[in-house]
Amino acid sequence: MADTRKSVLITGCTPGSIGHALVLEFHQRGLRVFATARRLEVLDDLRAKGIDTLALDVANDESVRAAAARVRELTGGKLDILVNNAGRTYTNPVLDADVSEVEALFAANLFGAMRMVKEFGTMVIAAKGKIVNNGSIAGTIPMPFRSAYGASKAALFSWGDSLRVEMAPFGVQVVNLATGPVLTTMVVNDHVGSGPPGSLYASVFPTVDKVTSDGGKRAMPASQWAKATVSAVLKTNSPRWFWKGTGASIVWFLSTFIPRGLMQTISSSMWGLNKLAQELKKKA
Ligand SMILES: NC(=O)c1ccc[n+]([C@@H]2O[C@H](COP(=O)([O-])OP(=O)(O)OC[C@H]3O[C@@H](n4cnc5c(N)ncnc54)[C@H](OP(=O)(O)O)[C@@H]3O)[C@@H](O)[C@H]2O)c1
């Protein structure tokens, strides 16, 4: 008998991640879920629950094409929801950044989503479905030491906003997720320590480390984030932007109503850069 459930494919579903929590939530709501990850073996627990699993590296053309061909075969060429969730982070001052790391970051966070839409887009059109892009609040406000990560997410948002206009004639909705801190492997492993040797920002790193780890401690449980996000995505008319995660509403307010100059002052004080300015003044 043909499977009549609505279908959803999610990228980056390793245990301990947002993707994994999304899989469980969509599955619980009765959708047919295609859970994907670079390493198929990490999806064993999901496969044991009867969930379809596929290997998929969003930074690799062949891998994305092979996954698209398999989903086309399994669903008869329709996909109701595509969630571009896979991503990575990078924390470093601009002066200390390794540009090849930044390129790898963009390959996953931005070009990966582009590649997915190129290969899966016609299946989403066939279902008059939805494309969901997991961005970050870091893409909406100045965030020192997260500039490359924030830039990749700001680019994803901008691309998503244009994609929404291109997809509207086909009845496809596009949702940008402005996600705040959520407790996942990414957050648990996000330590900046004392920074790169010889950094001009060495005196600031203890503050950066503290702000990062305090943010991690307050991060929203992934299941809570997934429940709210899936509810928003499954609405007949989904929001164009959905803000969720610790402090996401506050960042929405700041990025919507507070002038850029004031935002810069807040950011500078939060990350200890105003103190660095004072130190440098004293030395001069
Ligand atoms: N957690 C937060 O506080 C937070 C806040 C804002 C936005 N986000 C965004 O939410 C998304 C999920 O993050 P998370 O917190 O769940 O991080 P995570 O625990 O590190 O999980 C990231 C997932 O993306 C996968 N991935 C990375 N590069 C990939 C690639 N080239 N192809 C396919 N999969 C790839 C990882 O696979 P491997 O296991 O193979 O590395 C993993 O499954 C990311 O886009 C992140 O930027 C997270």
Side-chain angles (χ1 to χ4, degrees), residues 185-262:
T185 308
M186 180 185 277
V187 166
V188 170
N189 292 339
D190 197 12
H191 299 297
V192 296
S194 52
S199 175
L200 289 177
Y201 297 92
S203 66
V204 174
F205 268 94
T207 307
V208 178
D209 200 35
K210 185 167 175 359
V211 173
T212 308
S213 72
D214 286 355
K217 280 179 206 147
R218 286 193 298 267
M220 180 178 282
S223 57
Q224 184 186 340
W225 179 91
K227 198 179 271 295
T229 301
V230 167
S231 294
V233 169
L234 290 180
K235 281 185 175 161
T236 308
N237 294 307
S238 298
R240 294 175 185 83
W241 281 61
F242 184 67
W243 299 72
K244 197 75 199 174
T246 306
S249 310
I250 296 169
V251 173
W252 168 78
F253 180 85
L254 293 173
S255 62
T256 308
F257 298 110
I258 302 294
R260 281 264 144 181
L262 181 54

Side-chain angles (χ1 to χ4, degrees), residues 91-123:
T91 309
N92 242 336
V94 173
L95 291 179
D96 299 311
D98 176 341
V99 176
S100 60
E101 283 291 325
V102 175
E103 284 174 350
L105 177 85
F106 271 75
N109 294 8
L110 177 66
F111 306 133
M114 291 180 174
R115 193 174 278 113
M116 288 298 294
V117 168
K118 275 213 66 136
E119 295 301 329
F120 287 83
T122 53
M123 281 189 261

Side-chain angles (χ1 to χ4, degrees), residues 3 13 19 46 49 69 72 88 147 158 164 167 176 183 192 200 226 237 261 272 275 283:
D3 194 327
C13 302
L46 298 174
K49 291 185 193 303
R72 196 170 286 117
R88 51 199 278 170
S147 59
S158 171
R164 184 180 305 113
M167 284 288 174
N176 279 345
L183 193 55
V192 296
L200 289 177
N237 294 307
K275 280 195 197 133
K283 277 188 200 159

Side-chain angles (χ1 to χ4, degrees), residues 12 14 18 38-39 57-58 85 134-135 149 153 179 182 184 187:
T14 310
I18 279 181
R38 289 192 278 202
R39 293 159 294 144
D57 180 345
V58 299
N85 165 71
N134 199 1
Y149 178 69
K153 294 301 190 179
T179 299
V182 176
T184 63
V187 166

Side-chain angles (χ1 to χ4, degrees), residues 7 10 16 26-27 29 32 61 86 103 119-120 143 162 170 178 188 199 216 224 244 261 265 268 275:
S7 54
I10 304 157
F26 275 117
H27 178 64
R29 308 272 185 122
R32 179 177 192 182
D61 279 326
E103 284 174 350
E119 295 301 329
F120 287 83
M143 220 176 252
S162 300
F170 303 105
V188 170
S199 175
Q224 184 186 340
K244 197 75 199 174
T265 308
S268 170
K275 280 195 197 133

